[in-house]
Amino acid sequence: MNQFTVLATPRSFGRDDVRPIRFLEEHDCEVIALRAQGAELREQMMEELPRADAVIAGLETYDRGLMEKGEKLQIISRYGVGYDNVDVEEAHRRGIRVAFTPGANSDSVADLAVALMLAAARNICPMDSAIRAGRSEKPLRGVEMYGKVLGVVGTGRIGRGVIQRAQGFHMEILANDAYPDPEFMKQCGGTYVDLDTLFQKADFITLHAPLTEETRHMVDAGRLAQMKKQAVLVNTARGGIVDEDALYEALRTHQIGAAALDATLCEPACGSPLAELPNCILTPHAGAATAEAAYRMGMMAARNVLDVLQGRECRYLV
């Protein structure tokens, strides 16, 4: 009989590569995959949590109402970097550890951020849609990315990865971070500036900050008004950092050139007014949706679980 019960909610955990599940099973864990979403997932969690020793968690919310069902729960191991959907204070009050997987998806998200910049700059999605619809109008006029000014908000692992990729485009790098990394910025020839300067001077702005009370609606109508007319805004961080109503108006009136959002307030953003705009690309928070990132996140999340359950030091506790 298995010693531990582990609930896993992310749909990609062990789906294409079973090694993280096998790893847990080899260490006396029964893994129960919950594949539902939204309210249905919460109902399943309420039912299954009383017998769970650990949870490998997706983007669902862990509040007091849910955690109080975890009578045996020792750890919530986030399958990803952000943990803003976990009430960490409540978890600690109940003796539940919270862990995450820093760096596991950094390259995948950085790749997507650059891909979104290029797609938005060159109007790739509208052109593809036109051809599929049988329309023959000439391509929309885009802008070049090579040699332009890149503004990076947040220079953690993902932000640094984007900067490294942007060097191949010979971009001038402006960055902003509450906890700057001057040595890295010196190596890449970039400059830390205040947010006003970054938004005023950058041709492309990419967001890699956590969602906090300080960063909520950081990109509001005022910030958008500071941007260049053909500037491109990319958000692969968290919905809520951008005021989506203000962004809609800025895009609708062509106050800025384009936006590409992998992170939105409601995910996926199928019913968002932003989906009506040809100069806005929307993806379903898929920055980590690569085979490599799924494996790394799965193994790190599983190791975090075993470290706590087996009484070892866990390197990635919040």
Side-chain angles (χ1 to χ4, degrees):
M1 183 176 178
N2 291 315
Q3 185 177 357
F4 303 112
T5 299
V6 180
L7 305 183
T9 66
R11 283 175 293 169
S12 63
F13 178 76
R15 182 183 59 195
D16 301 318
D17 189 329
V18 299
R19 284 178 289 177
I21 293 178
R22 295 290 178 264
F23 177 68
L24 289 169
E25 291 175 339
E26 289 165 4
H27 291 82
D28 295 325
C29 293
E30 177 191 8
V31 180
I32 301 174
L34 306 180
R35 302 303 192 192
Q37 297 183 66
E40 185 181 348
L41 173 60
R42 188 174 177 91
E43 290 176 8
Q44 288 186 355
M45 292 290 292
M46 297 287 273
E47 182 179 339
E48 298 287 352
L49 265 175
R51 64 188 181 116
D53 299 283
V55 174
I56 293 178
L59 292 170
E60 64 275 3
T61 298
Y62 289 83
D63 53 21
R64 178 184 297 181
L66 196 59
M67 282 187 272
E68 68 183 5
K69 294 290 185 180
E71 300 163 7
K72 300 169 54 185
L73 192 61
Q74 297 185 50
I75 177 173
I76 299 170
S77 181
R78 268 285 292 120
Y79 180 77
V81 178
Y83 48 87
D84 44 279
N85 286 347
V86 180
D87 186 337
V88 176
E89 184 177 342
E90 178 66 18
H92 288 171
R93 191 179 71 79
R94 294 177 176 275
I96 301 170
R97 308 292 184 88
V98 180
F100 64 138
T101 58
N105 63 9
S106 299
D107 283 333
S108 295
V109 179
D111 281 356
L112 181 63
V114 175
L116 290 173
M117 287 182 214
L118 283 166
R122 297 305 306 271
N123 298 299
I124 288 174
C125 293
M127 289 192 294
D128 176 77
S129 296
I131 289 175
R132 291 174 187 275
R135 302 197 303 271
S136 59
E137 65 261 28
K138 288 185 178 181
L140 295 167
R141 182 174 295 172
V143 295
E144 293 179 355
M145 191 165 143
Y146 189 87
K148 295 294 179 64
V149 180
L150 174 65
V152 181
V153 181
T155 53
R157 291 178 179 87
I158 298 171
R160 292 197 302 269
V162 172
I163 290 170
Q164 290 168 334
R165 287 155 176 78
Q167 289 181 291
F169 287 87
H170 288 256
M171 302 185 83
E172 178 186 347
I173 307 299
L174 302 179
N176 180 275
D177 198 307
Y179 303 97
D181 186 345
E183 183 59 33
F184 172 80
M185 201 57 58
K186 181 180 178 181
Q187 292 172 3
C188 71
T191 307
Y192 278 110
V193 297
D194 59 76
L195 281 175
D196 287 337
T197 300
L198 187 149
F199 274 79
Q200 289 164 9
K201 292 189 174 182
D203 300 292
F204 294 82
I205 296 174
T206 181
L207 306 178
H208 304 287
L211 179 62
T212 66
E213 287 308 310
E214 288 73 27
T215 63
R216 189 177 301 278
H217 282 191
M218 176 177 66
V219 183
D220 56 11
R223 289 266 180 247
L224 292 163
Q226 292 178 312
M227 292 173 64
K228 295 180 179 180
K229 186 173 179 59
Q230 289 185 310
V232 173
L233 176 70
V234 172
N235 184 14
T236 57
R238 283 290 183 268
I241 295 177
V242 178
D243 180 340
E244 293 179 11
D245 292 337
L247 178 61
Y248 175 84
E249 286 303 313
L251 291 169
R252 184 185 66 82
T253 60
H254 299 284
Q255 181 180 328
I256 67 172
L261 310 177
D262 187 49
T264 51
L265 202 55
C266 295
E267 296 173 349
C270 301
S272 170
L274 291 167
E276 304 168 4
L277 301 175
N279 55 347
C280 185
I281 298 172
L282 297 169
T283 53
H285 208 130
T290 65
E292 296 87 348
Y295 171 71
R296 289 191 295 263
M297 287 192 300
M299 290 304 295
M300 286 181 71
R303 287 193 180 102
N304 289 341
V305 163
L306 287 178
D307 284 344
V308 170
L309 295 183
Q310 295 178 346
R312 294 190 299 270
E313 179 183 357
C314 179
R315 293 177 58 193
Y316 301 115
L317 290 180
V318 175

